[in-house]
Amino acid sequence: MPEGHSVHRLARQFDDVFGGQVLAVSSPQGRFTPAARLIDGQQLVSSHAHGKQLFLGFGNDLVLRVHLGLYGAWSFGGDEHFSGASSIGAPRRVGESEQAPAAYQGQYDGPPEPVGQVRARLVSAHGWADLRGPTACEVLTEVQAATARAKLGPDPLVAAAGAFNLAKGRGTAADIAAAAAAAKKEFIARLGKKKTPIGTALMDQGLLAGVGNIYRAETLFRCNIDPFMPSNELSAARAAALWDDIVSIMNDGVRDGKIITTRPADRSGVGPIWPENAYYTYQRQHQQCRLCDAGIALMEVAGRKLYWCPGCQPKARKRATR
DNA sequence: GCCCTATGTTAAA
DNA sequence: TTAACCTAGGGCT
């Protein structure tokens, strides 16, 4: 699935192209039809991402919660007023871009006939959005939506989302700074209480919301942390540095529409930056590390593939203090 | 066409 | 720990 950065991009996209507009909501596939009727014809009043989940608020106080899961994807289209038409979701192959294609050209005649399994379709006067293959797509009350969000850990992109809202005249800089500080503090505190390996903890959406398999592998490499180290053996200072690194590379992901975690000095001079030179360890098993002589290791852990460099991410020799 | 894979989560065993 | 779920693309026969 797209990791948190993609969902934050989606939240911005919905805000930009549908914000304040009345939407026709349907389910060409049929599976979402009863819930779609609850928000059909309502105005979109908010668009928010928390980790990998998207929350769209409507004028009748109902909330559409969407989780793309492993395969879900949104596709968009519309006329010249429908800026940023794009398709953001699960890349179908390594190296696929999450960036928007060229602007729509030609006459806009409304959304196309649905092809395949379109779970939900949102249509405004100027464009449309189709949702396919989500793990979750449901209409909730505000209380239910708050309950869903309460299960999620701090989001490294909380400040980025705040900056976007600030530019739209919502919120204050002071509130954003406070939220970002609180998120970081909470992350550090939660890690300190967990004995689970740090590589597992980073994938726990209740501990930290938005990091997935690529960011997990890449940030642990960048911070020289052994993925099997118990979370509570990481010093508070290293936990803070880990948070800062996650914030940094995920902010880049929001900006770029793709995950690039390599520092410029560490990229090979051969081939483009992305995807060949975008990662340190993800899907680089058996290849030589970019920084040392070791080969990148791969092991299946809890059903997900974990990549790391045994040379750059050595086992801690002594117990760190917190 | 068939099999495998994928930046994910949940429930059953 | 395993299976199930949702979808599309690539490589294979």
Side-chain angles (χ1 to χ4, degrees):
Chain A
M1 120 145 226
E3 302 190 24
H5 71 296
S6 295
V7 183
H8 278 258
R9 284 168 59 84
L10 281 165
R12 296 179 179 199
Q13 166 91 352
F14 276 95
D15 198 27
D16 285 338
V17 304
F18 286 140
Q21 298 185 46
V22 169
L23 302 181
V25 183
S26 62
S27 177
Q29 171 201 58
R31 286 184 52 178
F32 181 59
T33 297
R37 291 202 177 104
L38 299 173
I39 50 176
D40 184 28
Q42 293 291 320
Q43 181 187 31
L44 181 69
V45 297
S46 68
S47 175
H48 188 85
H50 188 149
K52 301 170 186 174
Q53 304 197 28
L54 176 68
F55 297 88
L56 299 180
F58 288 84
N60 59 356
D61 292 342
L62 293 179
V63 178
L64 174 62
R65 181 182 78 95
V66 173
H67 193 306
L68 292 174
L70 189 49
Y71 322 103
W74 284 98
S75 53
F76 299 89
D79 66 14
E80 68 275 15
H81 302 293
F82 195 86
S83 62
S86 65
S87 175
I88 303 177
R92 306 304 181 188
R93 60 185 182 278
V94 173
E96 181 174 350
S97 175
E98 295 172 4
Q99 287 191 305
Y104 184 85
Q105 302 290 324
Q107 186 66 37
Y108 173 63
D109 298 318
E113 277 300 303
V115 177
Q117 300 293 309
V118 177
R119 182 77 61 85
R121 166 170 279 186
L122 279 53
V123 181
S124 74
H126 297 289
W128 51 269
D130 278 354
L131 172 64
R132 297 161 186 278
T135 272
C137 173
E138 59 180 358
V139 173
L140 306 174
T141 65
E142 290 187 333
V143 170
Q144 290 171 321
T147 300
R149 293 196 55 188
K151 295 176 183 172
L152 298 171
D155 186 335
L157 292 173
V158 64
F164 175 82
N165 280 315
L166 191 62
K168 292 230 173 185
R170 300 185 288 248
T172 69
D175 287 343
I176 296 168
K184 179 176 180 176
K185 184 178 178 182
E186 186 177 356
F187 172 73
I188 296 168
R190 290 190 182 199
L191 276 191
K193 295 172 187 165
K194 285 273 182 180
K195 295 179 185 173
T196 52
I198 183 66
T200 303
L202 292 185
M203 298 282 278
D204 178 353
Q205 301 300 300
L207 190 150
L208 172 69
V211 166
N213 208 21
I214 299 180
Y215 282 126
R216 176 259 294 260
E218 295 294 308
T219 194
L220 288 175
F221 176 91
R222 287 166 53 98
C223 295
N224 301 115
I225 296 170
D226 165 28
F228 299 100
M229 170 185 265
S231 301
N232 60 359
E233 292 187 15
L234 203 63
S235 70
R238 292 192 77 192
L242 177 59
W243 171 266
D244 290 341
D245 189 64
I246 292 168
V247 169
S248 173
I249 58 180
M250 290 190 74
N251 278 339
D252 288 349
V254 172
R255 180 196 62 206
D256 299 336
K258 48 194 160 189
I259 301 176
I260 297 171
T261 60
T262 47
R263 301 173 181 96
D266 300 332
R267 293 171 196 147
S268 136
V270 181
I273 293 175
W274 191 84
E276 285 94 327
N277 286 293
Y279 309 131
Y280 285 106
T281 65
Y282 179 72
Q283 291 196 341
R284 294 196 75 243
Q285 67 273 25
H286 312 318
Q287 296 180 50
Q288 187 186 335
C289 173
R290 295 183 187 277
L291 299 185
C292 78
D293 292 334
I296 300 301
L298 166 62
M299 182 184 294
E300 186 129 337
V301 177
R304 306 304 301 278
K305 287 180 175 172
L306 171 66
Y307 303 84
W308 81 100
C309 172
C312 294
Q313 298 164 264
K315 303 248 180 239
R317 290 187 175 77
K318 62 180 181 182
R319 192 181 179 87
T321 54
R322 279 185 79 91

